[in-house]
Amino acid sequence: MNQIRLYLDEDSGDTILVRSLKNRGIDVLTVVDANTKGYSDEEQLNWAIEQERVLYSCNVRDFYR
């Protein structure tokens, strides 16, 4: 089974959440890790797709579609 590879945007990069996920063996990358901080929402989504990662965001109104 393939493991989910997460990509947390600026709204979701809480240190405790990231540390907890990593401690459980989850493959997590943040915008800081990826040097993509400041990218637009569309650019964040496209970057995640290109990297075959699931974009995790608390910014629901921009991604509800």
Side-chain angles (χ1 to χ4, degrees):
M1 180 164 89
N2 293 332
Q3 182 180 14
I4 292 176
R5 300 171 63 217
L6 292 175
Y7 175 57
L8 278 63
D9 72 359
E10 292 178 54
D11 297 325
S12 309
D14 178 71
T15 305
I16 294 170
L17 173 62
V18 172
R19 189 173 344 130
S20 296
L21 290 167
K22 287 183 177 184
N23 284 343
R24 286 165 179 72
I26 306 297
D27 184 349
V28 178
L29 195 64
T30 68
V31 295
V32 173
D33 299 329
N35 199 30
T36 57
K37 190 172 181 173
Y39 281 23
S40 70
D41 292 335
E42 185 176 351
E43 290 170 321
Q44 296 289 5
L45 180 58
N46 288 334
W47 192 92
I49 291 168
E50 289 169 5
Q51 301 301 313
E52 298 182 346
R53 290 187 171 272
V54 175
L55 176 63
Y56 181 93
S57 178
C58 291
N59 195 357
V60 176
R61 80 172 168 245
D62 290 338
F63 294 104
Y64 70 92
R65 287 181 284 149

